[in-house]
Amino acid sequence: MLHRIKKISLLPYLVLLAGFLLTEAVTILTFQDLKTIRQQAFENKCQDFKNRILSQLKSNAQVLYNSAAFISSSDSITRDEWKLYQEQNRSLSELPGIQGIGFVKKLMPGQLASFEKLIQNEGFPDFKVRPQGSRDSYTSVLFIEPFSGRNLNAFGFDGYTEPSRRKAMMLAAENNSAVISDKVTLLQETGSEKLPGTIMFVPVFKKRNHITTNDSAKYLFGWVYSPFRMYDFITGITGGWADENLNLTIFDNEGIGSDAILFNSDSIVDTKKTSHFYTNELSLVFNQKTWKLHFTSYQPSPDYFSIRVISVFLTGMIISLLLFILSFNWLKMKNKSDEIFKLNQELEKSNQNKK
């Protein structure tokens, strides 16, 4: 009998312990569910960024394809015609981040002197293909719009003399497609702080209806191209960067070091870095060019301090305490009832003995 009473007296505490354990389990499940929801929302946001960048690259490429077709379909194009075409095409106003749209002409060694003389006679007496020197083949920036300011630094430049540009130009010609160069310092960068840039090239072919890789060099006339700062390109797509809790770093190819960084949002807004964050890494592939997009979303406090998790925890604790009080009062009432029942039995027994 004593053993039974002791077991019953533990009931409120067992109820309280069960409530605490159940509260802990539900709180952990809520915390994990919240993390899953936030991670999924973050990944969706990252995917949206990637899609917007890829969509803009395709739009830029389409403008260059149109410009290439314009040159390819004409016997000759003047500088004024190129300017008018780009203005009517609204290329410079519609494409975010680009420094300009130009045309690079391919030259053989025997064509160099006559080409330079032709441009000099157009009103540029000091024109020379740069850098000067003897080599197997040449290229030269012939047109670029707007033809003013820092863009003039590109006029006459031979992209074949720089490895990253040459690689992209050759890949574009070989595959007859838009190709993005590796990270470069644009010729338009004249200040002390030179921002990372890249260039999109599209080949221009003349006098052939069908393009094959076997004869691409024979009919290659040049390239239309568009240089752009990655800083201007990304901010143009996003309308600026105001999220101080999100960092985006774009790496060229598969690199992860500082030398491979094309864009870092910290150059616009200093990210409020904390020890609580989500990360996501996506690969963006555009015609053989790969950019690695690394996202980090920082939180001011950990997920277990969220209103949702705290509410579940406090609700569970309150319910556990209420159940403890109810079970304790129930036990007191039951013990009281048992005592009264026992007294009644003893009185009945005493009355029976008196008879």
Side-chain angles (χ1 to χ4, degrees), residues 87-134:
E87 288 176 349
Q88 292 180 339
N89 201 31
R90 297 186 178 181
S91 309
L92 301 174
S93 60
E94 298 296 328
L95 301 181
I98 67 168
Q99 300 296 306
I101 295 182
F103 170 64
V104 178
K105 183 173 175 57
K106 179 188 175 186
L107 299 166
M108 298 306 293
Q111 300 173 311
L112 181 61
S114 60
F115 173 75
E116 290 179 335
K117 187 66 175 177
L118 178 65
I119 304 303
Q120 290 166 5
N121 291 338
E122 288 181 0
F124 305 97
D126 297 326
F127 177 84
K128 291 286 184 181
V129 173
R130 299 176 289 108
Q132 297 183 42
S134 177

mmCIF file of all heavy atoms in Angstrom, residues 87-134:
data_model
loop_
_atom_site.group_PDB
_atom_site.id
_atom_site.type_symbol
_atom_site.label_atom_id
_atom_site.label_comp_id
_atom_site.label_asym_id
_atom_site.label_seq_id
_atom_site.Cartn_x
_atom_site.Cartn_y
_atom_site.Cartn_z
ATOM 1 N N GLU A 87 22.436 53.266 -82.147
ATOM 2 C CA GLU A 87 21.468 54.180 -81.533
ATOM 3 C C GLU A 87 20.044 53.714 -81.789
ATOM 4 O O GLU A 87 19.200 53.714 -80.890
ATOM 5 C CB GLU A 87 21.669 55.592 -82.085
ATOM 6 C CG GLU A 87 22.932 56.274 -81.567
ATOM 7 C CD GLU A 87 23.150 57.640 -82.201
ATOM 8 O OE1 GLU A 87 22.445 57.961 -83.184
ATOM 9 O OE2 GLU A 87 24.027 58.376 -81.713
ATOM 10 N N GLN A 88 19.761 53.290 -83.024
ATOM 11 C CA GLN A 88 18.421 52.816 -83.354
ATOM 12 C C GLN A 88 18.113 51.487 -82.689
ATOM 13 O O GLN A 88 16.962 51.196 -82.356
ATOM 14 C CB GLN A 88 18.270 52.704 -84.878
ATOM 15 C CG GLN A 88 18.288 54.042 -85.595
ATOM 16 C CD GLN A 88 18.144 53.897 -87.095
ATOM 17 O OE1 GLN A 88 18.407 52.836 -87.672
ATOM 18 N NE2 GLN A 88 17.734 54.976 -87.756
ATOM 19 N N ASN A 89 19.141 50.695 -82.495
ATOM 20 C CA ASN A 89 18.979 49.407 -81.823
ATOM 21 C C ASN A 89 18.861 49.555 -80.304
ATOM 22 O O ASN A 89 18.567 48.601 -79.592
ATOM 23 C CB ASN A 89 20.178 48.504 -82.155
ATOM 24 C CG ASN A 89 19.874 47.037 -81.946
ATOM 25 O OD1 ASN A 89 18.743 46.596 -82.103
ATOM 26 N ND2 ASN A 89 20.884 46.279 -81.567
ATOM 27 N N ARG A 90 19.155 50.762 -79.821
ATOM 28 C CA ARG A 90 19.108 51.082 -78.390
ATOM 29 C C ARG A 90 20.000 50.163 -77.557
ATOM 30 O O ARG A 90 19.711 49.862 -76.392
ATOM 31 C CB ARG A 90 17.672 51.028 -77.863
ATOM 32 C CG ARG A 90 16.748 52.047 -78.516
ATOM 33 C CD ARG A 90 15.395 52.062 -77.863
ATOM 34 N NE ARG A 90 14.538 53.068 -78.477
ATOM 35 C CZ ARG A 90 13.284 53.325 -78.093
ATOM 36 N NH1 ARG A 90 12.763 52.635 -77.096
ATOM 37 N NH2 ARG A 90 12.578 54.256 -78.694
ATOM 38 N N SER A 91 21.072 49.721 -78.141
ATOM 39 C CA SER A 91 21.971 48.788 -77.466
ATOM 40 C C SER A 91 22.577 49.397 -76.214
ATOM 41 O O SER A 91 22.636 48.771 -75.152
ATOM 42 C CB SER A 91 23.082 48.355 -78.427
ATOM 43 O OG SER A 91 22.551 47.902 -79.643
ATOM 44 N N LEU A 92 23.043 50.638 -76.348
ATOM 45 C CA LEU A 92 23.776 51.260 -75.252
ATOM 46 C C LEU A 92 22.869 51.662 -74.101
ATOM 47 O O LEU A 92 23.298 51.718 -72.952
ATOM 48 C CB LEU A 92 24.538 52.486 -75.770
ATOM 49 C CG LEU A 92 25.535 52.181 -76.892
ATOM 50 C CD1 LEU A 92 26.135 53.468 -77.445
ATOM 51 C CD2 LEU A 92 26.641 51.267 -76.390
ATOM 52 N N SER A 93 21.609 51.938 -74.393
ATOM 53 C CA SER A 93 20.686 52.365 -73.342
ATOM 54 C C SER A 93 19.965 51.199 -72.678
ATOM 55 O O SER A 93 19.508 51.316 -71.541
ATOM 56 C CB SER A 93 19.656 53.351 -73.911
ATOM 57 O OG SER A 93 18.900 52.739 -74.946
ATOM 58 N N GLU A 94 19.856 50.086 -73.381
ATOM 59 C CA GLU A 94 19.067 48.963 -72.871
ATOM 60 C C GLU A 94 19.899 47.904 -72.150
ATOM 61 O O GLU A 94 19.364 47.136 -71.356
ATOM 62 C CB GLU A 94 18.298 48.298 -74.022
ATOM 63 C CG GLU A 94 17.287 49.201 -74.709
ATOM 64 C CD GLU A 94 16.160 49.621 -73.799
ATOM 65 O OE1 GLU A 94 15.788 48.833 -72.910
ATOM 66 O OE2 GLU A 94 15.657 50.753 -73.954
ATOM 67 N N LEU A 95 21.182 47.841 -72.433
ATOM 68 C CA LEU A 95 22.018 46.790 -71.843
ATOM 69 C C LEU A 95 22.771 47.332 -70.640
ATOM 70 O O LEU A 95 23.569 48.266 -70.761
ATOM 71 C CB LEU A 95 23.011 46.249 -72.879
ATOM 72 C CG LEU A 95 22.396 45.640 -74.138
ATOM 73 C CD1 LEU A 95 23.491 45.120 -75.049
ATOM 74 C CD2 LEU A 95 21.423 44.531 -73.797
ATOM 75 N N PRO A 96 22.547 46.776 -69.453
ATOM 76 C CA PRO A 96 23.195 47.301 -68.250
ATOM 77 C C PRO A 96 24.680 46.966 -68.191
ATOM 78 O O PRO A 96 25.089 45.858 -68.529
ATOM 79 C CB PRO A 96 22.448 46.600 -67.113
ATOM 80 C CG PRO A 96 21.958 45.331 -67.714
ATOM 81 C CD PRO A 96 21.649 45.648 -69.148
ATOM 82 N N GLY A 97 25.453 47.940 -67.779
ATOM 83 C CA GLY A 97 26.852 47.683 -67.450
ATOM 84 C C GLY A 97 27.843 47.703 -68.584
ATOM 85 O O GLY A 97 29.047 47.675 -68.339
ATOM 86 N N ILE A 98 27.388 47.755 -69.841
ATOM 87 C CA ILE A 98 28.350 47.679 -70.938
ATOM 88 C C ILE A 98 29.051 49.013 -71.118
ATOM 89 O O ILE A 98 28.481 50.082 -70.890
ATOM 90 C CB ILE A 98 27.689 47.238 -72.264
ATOM 91 C CG1 ILE A 98 26.716 48.305 -72.773
ATOM 92 C CG2 ILE A 98 26.996 45.911 -72.113
ATOM 93 C CD1 ILE A 98 26.261 48.064 -74.184
ATOM 94 N N GLN A 99 30.330 48.962 -71.513
ATOM 95 C CA GLN A 99 31.095 50.164 -71.781
ATOM 96 C C GLN A 99 30.892 50.644 -73.212
ATOM 97 O O GLN A 99 31.141 51.806 -73.532
ATOM 98 C CB GLN A 99 32.588 49.889 -71.543
ATOM 99 C CG GLN A 99 32.912 49.449 -70.128
ATOM 100 C CD GLN A 99 32.605 50.525 -69.110
ATOM 101 O OE1 GLN A 99 33.073 51.648 -69.220
ATOM 102 N NE2 GLN A 99 31.796 50.191 -68.117
ATOM 103 N N GLY A 100 30.461 49.742 -74.071
ATOM 104 C CA GLY A 100 30.246 50.097 -75.465
ATOM 105 C C GLY A 100 30.044 48.852 -76.312
ATOM 106 O O GLY A 100 30.110 47.720 -75.811
ATOM 107 N N ILE A 101 29.768 49.067 -77.586
ATOM 108 C CA ILE A 101 29.661 47.974 -78.553
ATOM 109 C C ILE A 101 30.568 48.319 -79.727
ATOM 110 O O ILE A 101 30.461 49.400 -80.311
ATOM 111 C CB ILE A 101 28.221 47.778 -79.038
ATOM 112 C CG1 ILE A 101 27.345 47.334 -77.876
ATOM 113 C CG2 ILE A 101 28.159 46.750 -80.152
ATOM 114 C CD1 ILE A 101 25.912 47.058 -78.250
ATOM 115 N N GLY A 102 31.469 47.399 -80.043
ATOM 116 C CA GLY A 102 32.453 47.696 -81.071
ATOM 117 C C GLY A 102 32.618 46.581 -82.085
ATOM 118 O O GLY A 102 31.993 45.513 -81.978
ATOM 119 N N PHE A 103 33.471 46.866 -83.043
ATOM 120 C CA PHE A 103 33.804 45.882 -84.072
ATOM 121 C C PHE A 103 35.316 45.788 -84.183
ATOM 122 O O PHE A 103 36.021 46.800 -84.290
ATOM 123 C CB PHE A 103 33.218 46.274 -85.425
ATOM 124 C CG PHE A 103 33.718 45.434 -86.566
ATOM 125 C CD1 PHE A 103 33.444 44.074 -86.621
ATOM 126 C CD2 PHE A 103 34.494 46.000 -87.576
ATOM 127 C CE1 PHE A 103 33.919 43.284 -87.667
ATOM 128 C CE2 PHE A 103 34.975 45.227 -88.619
ATOM 129 C CZ PHE A 103 34.688 43.861 -88.666
ATOM 130 N N VAL A 104 35.819 44.552 -84.136
ATOM 131 C CA VAL A 104 37.238 44.272 -84.269
ATOM 132 C C VAL A 104 37.468 43.628 -85.635
ATOM 133 O O VAL A 104 36.857 42.606 -85.948
ATOM 134 C CB VAL A 104 37.738 43.317 -83.160
ATOM 135 C CG1 VAL A 104 39.219 42.996 -83.353
ATOM 136 C CG2 VAL A 104 37.498 43.908 -81.787
ATOM 137 N N LYS A 105 38.321 44.214 -86.420
ATOM 138 C CA LYS A 105 38.596 43.684 -87.765
ATOM 139 C C LYS A 105 39.827 42.792 -87.727
ATOM 140 O O LYS A 105 40.838 43.113 -87.100
ATOM 141 C CB LYS A 105 38.817 44.830 -88.751
ATOM 142 C CG LYS A 105 39.040 44.356 -90.195
ATOM 143 C CD LYS A 105 39.072 45.518 -91.162
ATOM 144 C CE LYS A 105 39.424 45.071 -92.585
ATOM 145 N NZ LYS A 105 38.499 44.040 -93.089
ATOM 146 N N LYS A 106 39.721 41.665 -88.421
ATOM 147 C CA LYS A 106 40.856 40.757 -88.544
ATOM 148 C C LYS A 106 41.721 41.206 -89.719
ATOM 149 O O LYS A 106 41.217 41.565 -90.784
ATOM 150 C CB LYS A 106 40.364 39.331 -88.777
ATOM 151 C CG LYS A 106 41.500 38.319 -88.931
ATOM 152 C CD LYS A 106 40.961 36.955 -89.343
ATOM 153 C CE LYS A 106 42.120 35.989 -89.605
ATOM 154 N NZ LYS A 106 41.653 34.695 -90.140
ATOM 155 N N LEU A 107 43.034 41.169 -89.515
ATOM 156 C CA LEU A 107 43.975 41.624 -90.546
ATOM 157 C C LEU A 107 45.089 40.603 -90.730
ATOM 158 O O LEU A 107 45.557 39.992 -89.754
ATOM 159 C CB LEU A 107 44.610 42.965 -90.148
ATOM 160 C CG LEU A 107 43.662 44.155 -89.947
ATOM 161 C CD1 LEU A 107 44.402 45.272 -89.237
ATOM 162 C CD2 LEU A 107 43.116 44.631 -91.281
ATOM 163 N N MET A 108 45.500 40.435 -91.961
ATOM 164 C CA MET A 108 46.699 39.669 -92.252
ATOM 165 C C MET A 108 47.876 40.644 -92.352
ATOM 166 O O MET A 108 47.683 41.847 -92.589
ATOM 167 C CB MET A 108 46.530 38.894 -93.554
ATOM 168 C CG MET A 108 45.399 37.870 -93.506
ATOM 169 S SD MET A 108 45.545 36.716 -92.102
ATOM 170 C CE MET A 108 47.044 35.821 -92.575
ATOM 171 N N PRO A 109 49.111 40.157 -92.171
ATOM 172 C CA PRO A 109 50.275 41.065 -92.193
ATOM 173 C C PRO A 109 50.338 41.951 -93.433
ATOM 174 O O PRO A 109 50.683 43.127 -93.340
ATOM 175 C CB PRO A 109 51.468 40.105 -92.119
ATOM 176 C CG PRO A 109 50.931 38.908 -91.406
ATOM 177 C CD PRO A 109 49.514 38.768 -91.843
ATOM 178 N N GLY A 110 49.980 41.395 -94.571
ATOM 179 C CA GLY A 110 50.043 42.178 -95.803
ATOM 180 C C GLY A 110 48.991 43.275 -95.877
ATOM 181 O O GLY A 110 49.077 44.180 -96.726
ATOM 182 N N GLN A 111 47.987 43.236 -95.016
ATOM 183 C CA GLN A 111 46.919 44.230 -95.022
ATOM 184 C C GLN A 111 47.160 45.366 -94.039
ATOM 185 O O GLN A 111 46.448 46.370 -94.073
ATOM 186 C CB GLN A 111 45.569 43.555 -94.676
ATOM 187 C CG GLN A 111 45.151 42.459 -95.627
ATOM 188 C CD GLN A 111 43.911 41.739 -95.118
ATOM 189 O OE1 GLN A 111 43.837 41.328 -93.964
ATOM 190 N NE2 GLN A 111 42.933 41.574 -96.006
ATOM 191 N N LEU A 112 48.119 45.222 -93.163
ATOM 192 C CA LEU A 112 48.294 46.166 -92.060
ATOM 193 C C LEU A 112 48.560 47.588 -92.541
ATOM 194 O O LEU A 112 47.884 48.533 -92.109
ATOM 195 C CB LEU A 112 49.438 45.701 -91.152
ATOM 196 C CG LEU A 112 49.722 46.600 -89.937
ATOM 197 C CD1 LEU A 112 48.510 46.673 -89.020
ATOM 198 C CD2 LEU A 112 50.949 46.090 -89.174
ATOM 199 N N ALA A 113 49.524 47.765 -93.432
ATOM 200 C CA ALA A 113 49.915 49.113 -93.862
ATOM 201 C C ALA A 113 48.769 49.832 -94.559
ATOM 202 O O ALA A 113 48.481 51.009 -94.279
ATOM 203 C CB ALA A 113 51.139 49.036 -94.772
ATOM 204 N N SER A 114 48.084 49.136 -95.454
ATOM 205 C CA SER A 114 46.978 49.763 -96.183
ATOM 206 C C SER A 114 45.808 50.077 -95.248
ATOM 207 O O SER A 114 45.125 51.097 -95.419
ATOM 208 C CB SER A 114 46.519 48.870 -97.337
ATOM 209 O OG SER A 114 46.080 47.606 -96.836
ATOM 210 N N PHE A 115 45.586 49.215 -94.268
ATOM 211 C CA PHE A 115 44.516 49.451 -93.305
ATOM 212 C C PHE A 115 44.812 50.699 -92.484
ATOM 213 O O PHE A 115 43.937 51.564 -92.309
ATOM 214 C CB PHE A 115 44.363 48.230 -92.382
ATOM 215 C CG PHE A 115 43.404 48.428 -91.252
ATOM 216 C CD1 PHE A 115 42.034 48.409 -91.471
ATOM 217 C CD2 PHE A 115 43.870 48.648 -89.960
ATOM 218 C CE1 PHE A 115 41.143 48.610 -90.422
ATOM 219 C CE2 PHE A 115 42.990 48.841 -88.905
ATOM 220 C CZ PHE A 115 41.624 48.820 -89.137
ATOM 221 N N GLU A 116 46.027 50.815 -91.971
ATOM 222 C CA GLU A 116 46.383 51.993 -91.188
ATOM 223 C C GLU A 116 46.284 53.269 -92.026
ATOM 224 O O GLU A 116 45.812 54.312 -91.541
ATOM 225 C CB GLU A 116 47.806 51.834 -90.625
ATOM 226 C CG GLU A 116 47.910 50.768 -89.544
ATOM 227 C CD GLU A 116 49.318 50.605 -89.013
ATOM 228 O OE1 GLU A 116 50.293 50.939 -89.747
ATOM 229 O OE2 GLU A 116 49.473 50.159 -87.860
ATOM 230 N N LYS A 117 46.707 53.189 -93.282
ATOM 231 C CA LYS A 117 46.633 54.357 -94.166
ATOM 232 C C LYS A 117 45.186 54.761 -94.401
ATOM 233 O O LYS A 117 44.854 55.965 -94.409
ATOM 234 C CB LYS A 117 47.309 54.020 -95.500
ATOM 235 C CG LYS A 117 47.433 55.211 -96.446
ATOM 236 C CD LYS A 117 48.378 56.259 -95.886
ATOM 237 C CE LYS A 117 48.594 57.392 -96.880
ATOM 238 N NZ LYS A 117 49.474 58.469 -96.331
ATOM 239 N N LEU A 118 44.300 53.780 -94.553
ATOM 240 C CA LEU A 118 42.887 54.053 -94.786
ATOM 241 C C LEU A 118 42.273 54.795 -93.598
ATOM 242 O O LEU A 118 41.543 55.785 -93.777
ATOM 243 C CB LEU A 118 42.138 52.738 -95.020
ATOM 244 C CG LEU A 118 40.620 52.841 -95.225
ATOM 245 C CD1 LEU A 118 40.306 53.604 -96.511
ATOM 246 C CD2 LEU A 118 39.997 51.446 -95.258
ATOM 247 N N ILE A 119 42.566 54.356 -92.402
ATOM 248 C CA ILE A 119 42.012 54.988 -91.203
ATOM 249 C C ILE A 119 42.610 56.373 -91.008
ATOM 250 O O ILE A 119 41.916 57.320 -90.613
ATOM 251 C CB ILE A 119 42.253 54.112 -89.949
ATOM 252 C CG1 ILE A 119 41.675 52.709 -90.163
ATOM 253 C CG2 ILE A 119 41.631 54.747 -88.720
ATOM 254 C CD1 ILE A 119 40.218 52.678 -90.499
ATOM 255 N N GLN A 120 43.888 56.525 -91.322
ATOM 256 C CA GLN A 120 44.525 57.844 -91.205
ATOM 257 C C GLN A 120 43.852 58.838 -92.139
ATOM 258 O O GLN A 120 43.637 60.005 -91.777
ATOM 259 C CB GLN A 120 46.017 57.724 -91.510
ATOM 260 C CG GLN A 120 46.806 56.987 -90.442
ATOM 261 C CD GLN A 120 48.202 56.588 -90.892
ATOM 262 O OE1 GLN A 120 48.625 56.944 -92.000
ATOM 263 N NE2 GLN A 120 48.912 55.838 -90.058
ATOM 264 N N ASN A 121 43.475 58.383 -93.329
ATOM 265 C CA ASN A 121 42.816 59.255 -94.313
ATOM 266 C C ASN A 121 41.387 59.597 -93.908
ATOM 267 O O ASN A 121 40.793 60.539 -94.442
ATOM 268 C CB ASN A 121 42.810 58.601 -95.691
ATOM 269 C CG ASN A 121 44.214 58.516 -96.291
ATOM 270 O OD1 ASN A 121 45.108 59.277 -95.902
ATOM 271 N ND2 ASN A 121 44.407 57.591 -97.218
ATOM 272 N N GLU A 122 40.828 58.852 -92.964
ATOM 273 C CA GLU A 122 39.482 59.149 -92.482
ATOM 274 C C GLU A 122 39.471 60.293 -91.467
ATOM 275 O O GLU A 122 38.407 60.698 -90.999
ATOM 276 C CB GLU A 122 38.863 57.899 -91.841
ATOM 277 C CG GLU A 122 38.479 56.820 -92.837
ATOM 278 C CD GLU A 122 37.840 55.622 -92.154
ATOM 279 O OE1 GLU A 122 37.702 55.643 -90.893
ATOM 280 O OE2 GLU A 122 37.474 54.658 -92.837
ATOM 281 N N GLY A 123 40.649 60.782 -91.137
ATOM 282 C CA GLY A 123 40.702 61.885 -90.180
ATOM 283 C C GLY A 123 41.394 61.544 -88.883
ATOM 284 O O GLY A 123 41.273 62.278 -87.898
ATOM 285 N N PHE A 124 42.150 60.446 -88.878
ATOM 286 C CA PHE A 124 42.899 60.029 -87.685
ATOM 287 C C PHE A 124 44.371 59.858 -88.079
ATOM 288 O O PHE A 124 44.864 58.731 -88.223
ATOM 289 C CB PHE A 124 42.332 58.733 -87.122
ATOM 290 C CG PHE A 124 40.860 58.794 -86.829
ATOM 291 C CD1 PHE A 124 39.929 58.311 -87.758
ATOM 292 C CD2 PHE A 124 40.404 59.348 -85.654
ATOM 293 C CE1 PHE A 124 38.583 58.370 -87.500
ATOM 294 C CE2 PHE A 124 39.033 59.399 -85.385
ATOM 295 C CZ PHE A 124 38.120 58.921 -86.310
ATOM 296 N N PRO A 125 45.071 60.982 -88.288
ATOM 297 C CA PRO A 125 46.421 60.941 -88.853
ATOM 298 C C PRO A 125 47.434 60.153 -88.008
ATOM 299 O O PRO A 125 48.427 59.651 -88.542
ATOM 300 C CB PRO A 125 46.805 62.410 -88.942
ATOM 301 C CG PRO A 125 45.911 63.115 -87.975
ATOM 302 C CD PRO A 125 44.626 62.355 -87.986
ATOM 303 N N ASP A 126 47.179 60.020 -86.717
ATOM 304 C CA ASP A 126 48.132 59.325 -85.835
ATOM 305 C C ASP A 126 47.749 57.863 -85.612
ATOM 306 O O ASP A 126 48.363 57.171 -84.775
ATOM 307 C CB ASP A 126 48.205 60.036 -84.482
ATOM 308 C CG ASP A 126 48.723 61.463 -84.603
ATOM 309 O OD1 ASP A 126 49.581 61.700 -85.472
ATOM 310 O OD2 ASP A 126 48.252 62.326 -83.837
ATOM 311 N N PHE A 127 46.768 57.370 -86.322
ATOM 312 C CA PHE A 127 46.273 56.016 -86.071
ATOM 313 C C PHE A 127 47.336 54.963 -86.383
ATOM 314 O O PHE A 127 47.979 54.983 -87.432
ATOM 315 C CB PHE A 127 45.036 55.734 -86.921
ATOM 316 C CG PHE A 127 44.521 54.331 -86.750
ATOM 317 C CD1 PHE A 127 43.683 54.015 -85.696
ATOM 318 C CD2 PHE A 127 44.884 53.318 -87.641
ATOM 319 C CE1 PHE A 127 43.208 52.712 -85.542
ATOM 320 C CE2 PHE A 127 44.414 52.022 -87.488
ATOM 321 C CZ PHE A 127 43.573 51.725 -86.425
ATOM 322 N N LYS A 128 47.500 54.038 -85.454
ATOM 323 C CA LYS A 128 48.349 52.863 -85.623
ATOM 324 C C LYS A 128 47.703 51.698 -84.871
ATOM 325 O O LYS A 128 47.073 51.882 -83.825
ATOM 326 C CB LYS A 128 49.757 53.096 -85.051
ATOM 327 C CG LYS A 128 50.602 54.099 -85.826
ATOM 328 C CD LYS A 128 51.086 53.495 -87.134
ATOM 329 C CE LYS A 128 52.022 54.456 -87.865
ATOM 330 N NZ LYS A 128 52.475 53.882 -89.165
ATOM 331 N N VAL A 129 47.844 50.514 -85.420
ATOM 332 C CA VAL A 129 47.404 49.326 -84.692
ATOM 333 C C VAL A 129 48.356 49.122 -83.520
ATOM 334 O O VAL A 129 49.577 49.126 -83.692
ATOM 335 C CB VAL A 129 47.390 48.086 -85.607
ATOM 336 C CG1 VAL A 129 47.093 46.829 -84.791
ATOM 337 C CG2 VAL A 129 46.348 48.262 -86.708
ATOM 338 N N ARG A 130 47.779 48.949 -82.332
ATOM 339 C CA ARG A 130 48.584 48.832 -81.111
ATOM 340 C C ARG A 130 48.377 47.454 -80.457
ATOM 341 O O ARG A 130 47.272 46.902 -80.502
ATOM 342 C CB ARG A 130 48.161 49.914 -80.097
ATOM 343 C CG ARG A 130 48.337 51.312 -80.576
ATOM 344 C CD ARG A 130 47.787 52.299 -79.546
ATOM 345 N NE ARG A 130 46.314 52.265 -79.473
ATOM 346 C CZ ARG A 130 45.607 51.760 -78.473
ATOM 347 N NH1 ARG A 130 46.220 51.218 -77.427
ATOM 348 N NH2 ARG A 130 44.294 51.784 -78.495
ATOM 349 N N PRO A 131 49.470 46.961 -79.849
ATOM 350 C CA PRO A 131 50.859 47.447 -79.864
ATOM 351 C C PRO A 131 51.518 47.184 -81.215
ATOM 352 O O PRO A 131 51.160 46.240 -81.917
ATOM 353 C CB PRO A 131 51.517 46.644 -78.744
ATOM 354 C CG PRO A 131 50.702 45.387 -78.660
ATOM 355 C CD PRO A 131 49.308 45.758 -79.002
ATOM 356 N N GLN A 132 52.462 48.014 -81.538
ATOM 357 C CA GLN A 132 53.128 47.867 -82.820
ATOM 358 C C GLN A 132 54.126 46.708 -82.763
ATOM 359 O O GLN A 132 54.535 46.261 -81.700
ATOM 360 C CB GLN A 132 53.841 49.171 -83.198
ATOM 361 C CG GLN A 132 52.879 50.350 -83.386
ATOM 362 C CD GLN A 132 53.586 51.612 -83.829
ATOM 363 O OE1 GLN A 132 54.481 51.566 -84.683
ATOM 364 N NE2 GLN A 132 53.180 52.752 -83.265
ATOM 365 N N GLY A 133 54.519 46.220 -83.926
ATOM 366 C CA GLY A 133 55.457 45.107 -83.989
ATOM 367 C C GLY A 133 55.027 44.091 -85.021
ATOM 368 O O GLY A 133 53.872 44.073 -85.471
ATOM 369 N N SER A 134 55.960 43.239 -85.376
ATOM 370 C CA SER A 134 55.701 42.236 -86.408
ATOM 371 C C SER A 134 55.156 40.959 -85.767
ATOM 372 O O SER A 134 55.682 40.479 -84.757
ATOM 373 C CB SER A 134 57.001 41.932 -87.158
ATOM 374 O OG SER A 134 56.782 40.918 -88.112
#
